Amino acid sequence: SYVLTQPPSVSVAPGQTARITCGGNNIGSKSVHWYQQKPGQAPVLVVYDDSDRPSGIPERFSGSNSGNTATLTISRVEAGDEADYYCQVWDSSSDHLEFGGGTKLTVL
Amino acid sequence: QVQLQESGPGLVKPSETLSLTCTVSGGSISSYYWSWIRQPPGKGLEWIGYIYYSGSTNYNPSLKSRVTISVDTSKNQFSLKLSSVTAADTAVYYCAKGAEYYDSSGGRTAWDAFDIWGQGTMVTVSS
């Protein structure tokens, strides 16, 4: 199966920039989607296809993907951004879907 | 706006079959991929499988031998059955809708992303 590796935690001060990585073998050749999940809530799609934002998602959320690493970048971090973030891909070689292990973003 | 609602027993005995239904409201179940995803307490997300409105399915290999996902277009519902459950199957179970976005050339993209989720339902496996 295709393995996606995320750091367990990332901490950032309010107003700063948070970068959450998602590592995978040649992940740059895949489309990566990112979800935000707050405690007790269902996940919310914040970035799809590496860098596109669904309607209603602030421009502060952006994504990139190249080589073996995809990155979710959150600019001007706010307290309300504190959540778990998951990356996700479709692995066409095995024909199934994978989630990363998740990263807990803490706003200091 | 499409909304999803999971329903089913919150407690299942070991070795029995877990059965959940997701009701789609505010839109048609046709023309999208529909998935089940679960999350054990304190852990990450695990994709269980999807069904296309036409009935074609794809399951997580780690669960494939125990999973059946079906669709009832007349009721705008799709369902999950997971057999021979153990305590390891205790989790919040979510149903989710495959996204529908289009790239610059008009081609459909991100079908495997989930743009709408149900609120989730906790299922505990215990005697």
Side-chain angles (χ1 to χ4, degrees):
Chain A
S1 64
Y2 188 78
V3 178
L4 294 172
T5 302
Q6 296 184 237
S9 62
V10 167
S11 298
V12 64
Q16 299 303 303
T17 298
R19 294 179 179 84
I20 299 172
T21 59
C22 177
N25 184 34
N26 197 26
I27 195 173
S29 66
K30 303 181 185 300
S31 291
V32 180
H33 317 304
W34 290 92
Y35 301 87
Q36 175 193 70
Q37 186 181 32
K38 296 181 179 179
Q41 298 183 18
V44 172
L45 181 66
V46 294
V47 167
Y48 68 93
D49 283 355
D50 300 337
S51 58
D52 290 326
R53 278 185 313 277
S55 174
I57 300 301
E59 292 184 5
R60 300 185 298 103
F61 288 82
S62 63
S64 62
N65 185 16
S66 178
N68 294 318
T69 305
T71 304
L72 174 69
T73 301
I74 309 171
S75 305
R76 303 180 298 284
V77 166
E78 303 172 356
D81 298 331
E82 190 162 281
D84 293 326
Y85 291 84
Y86 294 90
C87 59
Q88 177 240 307
V89 301
W90 179 264
D91 180 30
S92 55
S93 63
S94 63
D95 202 28
H96 73 274
L97 189 147
E98 294 286 356
F99 284 102
T103 298
K104 180 176 179 60
L105 176 66
T106 299
V107 181
L108 301 170
Chain B
Q1 173 73 344
V2 173
Q3 293 184 314
L4 307 181
Q5 179 67 59
E6 305 90 350
S7 60
L11 180 64
V12 181
K13 290 183 169 55
S15 80
E16 295 190 344
T17 296
L18 178 160
S19 296
L20 297 174
T21 296
C22 182
T23 300
V24 180
S25 60
S28 173
I29 201 168
S30 298
S31 189
Y32 297 108
Y33 289 87
W34 303 91
S35 281
W36 287 98
I37 296 151
R38 70 181 183 178
Q39 185 172 35
K43 296 189 178 181
L45 302 169
E46 180 181 32
W47 174 70
I48 298 171
Y50 74 62
I51 188 164
Y52 193 47
Y53 76 101
S54 61
S56 63
T57 56
N58 193 327
Y59 302 136
N60 187 325
S62 69
L63 299 169
K64 187 173 183 177
S65 63
R66 299 194 291 131
V67 172
T68 302
I69 298 176
S70 59
V71 65
D72 187 337
T73 54
S74 68
K75 295 182 178 179
N76 241 27
Q77 293 176 334
F78 63 106
S79 298
L80 168 70
K81 290 189 186 298
L82 181 65
S83 65
S84 305
V85 297
T86 69
D89 295 310
T90 293
V92 175
Y93 285 75
Y94 295 100
C95 58
K97 171 186 163 291
E100 184 180 29
Y101 296 106
Y102 294 88
D103 59 26
S104 56
S105 60
R108 186 172 176 178
T109 185
W111 64 270
D112 58 312
F114 305 112
D115 61 348
I116 297 174
W117 296 63
Q119 65 184 23
T121 187
M122 179 69 199
V123 179
T124 301
V125 178
S126 175
S127 56

